Amino acid sequence: MLKILCQQSEKDVAGIIIVYYRVMDYDMCRIDYFISGITYPDTLKILPSQGQKLEQKVVVGDKTGVLQCLTIRDEEPVIQFKTLPGKPITAVQLTSTNGTQPDKIFAASGNEVKGYTKKGKVFFSIETALSEPVTSILYVSRCVFGGDLILCSGRTITFYRDSKEHQSYVCKDRVLDMAAFITPNNAKVRLLLLIAHKGAGILENGHLVAHIAISSGPSRLATPPVAQVAEIKCFYGAADGSVGIITYEETTLSNNCLVEGRGLGSVVCLGWFYSNANLHLAVGRNDGSVQLYLIDVENLHLKPRLKFTYFSGEPVTSVVGGCVGTDEGELLVATFSGRIFALRSKFLIAGSVTKASHENLAARRSKLEIEIVRLEKQTANEREKYQRNSRSLQAGLSTPPLLDIEHKMSGATREGWQEVDITLAVPLDMLFIYCSKKLKLLTDSAAVLSVCSSQDSASDLLATVRCQAGTRRIWLRLRVASTNSTVLESTRVLIYALPTGAPRVARLLSIKLPALPYYSQHEEFDENNDHSIKSWCQLHVTGGFSVAEMTFWLSDILPGDLPRPASNVAFLRVHSLLGTKLYCQYQ
């Protein structure tokens, strides 16, 4: 049975690239350190310094499955250890197995988790029975009794003790991030969870003891380093670009928005940065921007002050503060394509350049020249190999590597526009767009949009978007032209992404425009009291169809993800403009 109610309401050359950027109160500039593979959110970490040494080690995992630990000496990366390629590394966490400073590295690849020492030795390995990749890792020490390994995979939170599964909890939707807090007597572990479309919740002893709905869609957590052990206070970044704080006091979970989104990109990562004896919250966004907010450590609920902004040109996946290349603090940043760079004070850059001797600069230049010659030779060999194979008379198939592309679709805003955000790891040259229906298009001001006239009829669309040199991220706004059809059906749009370089290959993206794009906002409701929703119109459908089929039908007309099929499913959507509500229940 399906019931729907409607309610009306009210790899490049290694070297040093310095870019000066002055915004707000701080003078900071960029120094490029090295390049890894494509990175996932929060897979870049900085190990604490040991003894009197101030320089810290950098740990990063990428999509190729390589985990590497490096130090920066004389502005050059020095590899401490590097693992062999494998499954994509989706989570990296620094932990302490003896209650002191973090000295161990945990990395997740698929459903497998490994623990490494600072020298690269594997001291822990476990292959879980989880069906989805691990996206978050926590390790909580239990005094002399060892510790608990907590893994987040899709909707499931799993606790492991002594390499054995201790308990698990399945949430109603995907878990986006989590943070662990220990009670004052060190007897219990409380988890603060961010659940997609549901808000935040407190998990204790395998039960959800508190929950709060947050409409901004929080996606990332950052625990303040100055918070007390018994306090549950955590900053969050949201999909609408806002930043806030979540507090749990006396069985009450509350949130407070501190920075409004106001058109900023969605928050991908959060980190902490010390500068001038002050604590700053570093925010990395999907639009490529990095912000530093000054935090009042005496009162975390005060609105933070924006002190610095930098635009990297591609989504930022990790931000973390530390002393990597100098004795002073700097902000280390990782981007989607794997570029690792630091934002450092301009005066520190000027001092390091002044101290550099003629011999050091000459050695760096010689090293860069040798690297350029090696790359040119490797490129020529690969080109010759490809041309030789293409002229060969032997049967064979040339298969170029699959382009790494991420795309994200947002719900309809005012005037019905739906935005598609496309990100590539390599520079983009052109987009070819085709749809069997008439569409209206808008694109980035840095690109040129051309709509081709139809040869057969005026009912389809063929358009091209030519990008500027070096473009790695572009957005498109799509809207279906008004039709007289009374049939509710989605519209399929085909986008061919063509990057620069040879051989000329393209990646096909299939985008679905739902029939009811405005019903994109999720709202909590009491499942045991659905009579509180006063319906204006109601539709009942009965027949010999399954829950999976009903889920497929609704996913064809509604934007975003739907609840996982179960024996009885119910959810509520709200119109982003009119405020009307759509209540669906099927079993």
Side-chain angles (χ1 to χ4, degrees), residues 479-506:
R479 185 177 65 182
V480 180
S482 59
T483 61
N484 297 325
S485 175
T486 58
V487 180
L488 282 180
E489 59 180 358
S490 61
T491 302
R492 188 69 59 178
V493 182
L494 302 180
I495 301 177
Y496 294 86
L498 182 66
T500 58
R504 302 293 280 179
V505 295

Side-chain angles (χ1 to χ4, degrees), residues 451-490:
V451 180
C452 305
S453 57
S454 177
Q455 297 180 358
D456 299 331
S457 63
S459 61
D460 58 356
L461 172 94
L462 180 62
T464 62
V465 178
R466 183 172 291 277
C467 307
Q468 287 186 352
T471 300
R472 295 175 183 264
R473 177 180 176 269
I474 191 172
W475 56 262
L476 295 173
R477 287 179 182 169
L478 312 173
R479 185 177 65 182
V480 180
S482 59
T483 61
N484 297 325
S485 175
T486 58
V487 180
L488 282 180
E489 59 180 358
S490 61

Side-chain angles (χ1 to χ4, degrees), residues 89-101:
I89 295 179
T90 53
V92 176
Q93 186 62 263
L94 304 181
T95 62
S96 172
T97 56
N98 53 11
T100 59
Q101 287 187 337

Side-chain angles (χ1 to χ4, degrees), residues 200-495:
I202 296 292
L203 184 66
E204 184 177 341
N205 292 333
H207 300 282
L208 199 65
V209 297
H211 175 264
I212 183 173
I214 305 176
S215 60
S216 59
S219 56
R220 193 58 59 181
L221 290 172
T223 305
V226 295
Q228 300 295 326
V229 177
E231 293 180 334
I232 298 183
K233 292 184 178 180
C234 208
F235 284 85
Y236 70 86
D240 66 349
S242 62
V243 176
I245 188 171
I246 299 175
T247 307
Y248 181 65
E249 294 178 342
E250 298 180 356
T251 70
T252 301
L253 191 63
S254 61
N255 78 290
N256 181 24
C257 180
L258 303 177
V259 178
E260 296 181 359
R262 294 182 178 179
L264 295 173
S266 59
V267 177
V268 180
C269 54
L270 297 174
W272 298 103
F273 173 66
Y274 280 98
S275 177
N276 300 325
N278 294 319
L279 179 64
H280 299 78
L281 177 65
V283 181
R285 302 182 182 273
N286 188 56
D287 60 1
S289 63
V290 178
Q291 278 104 23
L292 285 178
Y293 292 92
L294 179 62
I295 302 296
D296 188 348
V297 295
E298 300 296 333
N299 187 356
L300 298 177
H301 292 271
L302 287 181
K303 183 177 181 179
R305 289 180 292 170
L306 180 63
K307 309 295 287 185
F308 177 77
T309 298
Y310 174 79
F311 292 93
S312 65
E314 58 177 318
V316 176
T317 56
S318 299
V319 285
V320 57
C323 301
V324 178
T326 66
D327 295 343
E328 302 293 334
E330 56 187 340
L331 183 66
L332 209 61
V333 182
T335 64
F336 169 75
S337 65
R339 298 178 181 272
I340 313 298
F341 63 89
L343 296 174
R344 190 192 299 177
S345 172
K346 184 179 73 172
F347 303 104
L348 296 176
I349 294 294
S352 62
V353 172
T354 304
K355 294 178 182 178
S357 63
H358 254 325
E359 291 78 7
N360 289 340
L361 294 177
R364 293 177 189 174
R365 179 173 179 174
S366 176
K367 186 176 180 180
L368 289 176
E369 290 174 349
I370 295 174
E371 183 73 8
I372 291 174
V373 172
R374 185 189 66 82
L375 290 174
E376 288 178 345
K377 184 177 180 180
Q378 181 181 356
T379 303
N381 291 339
E382 292 294 333
R383 184 184 296 112
E384 181 181 354
K385 179 181 177 181
Y386 173 78
Q387 292 176 353
R388 185 172 59 252
N389 291 339
S390 62
R391 292 191 299 264
S392 176
L393 298 179
Q394 297 179 358
L397 181 63
S398 175
T399 306
L402 188 65
L403 299 175
D404 290 305
I405 297 180
E406 282 191 354
H407 68 280
K408 185 172 63 174
M409 187 90 177
S410 63
T413 57
R414 294 188 177 276
E415 300 179 355
W417 293 106
Q418 292 180 262
E419 186 169 300
V420 182
D421 200 325
I422 302 175
T423 304
L424 285 83
V426 294
L428 181 65
D429 183 22
M430 294 185 67
L431 293 177
F432 295 93
I433 305 169
Y434 173 76
C435 182
S436 59
K437 296 182 180 180
K438 205 66 177 178
L439 286 181
K440 294 184 179 180
L441 287 174
L442 288 177
T443 187
D444 199 325
S445 59
V448 178
L449 172 65
S450 301
V451 180
C452 305
S453 57
S454 177
Q455 297 180 358
D456 299 331
S457 63
S459 61
D460 58 356
L461 172 94
L462 180 62
T464 62
V465 178
R466 183 172 291 277
C467 307
Q468 287 186 352
T471 300
R472 295 175 183 264
R473 177 180 176 269
I474 191 172
W475 56 262
L476 295 173
R477 287 179 182 169
L478 312 173
R479 185 177 65 182
V480 180
S482 59
T483 61
N484 297 325
S485 175
T486 58
V487 180
L488 282 180
E489 59 180 358
S490 61
T491 302
R492 188 69 59 178
V493 182
L494 302 180
I495 301 177

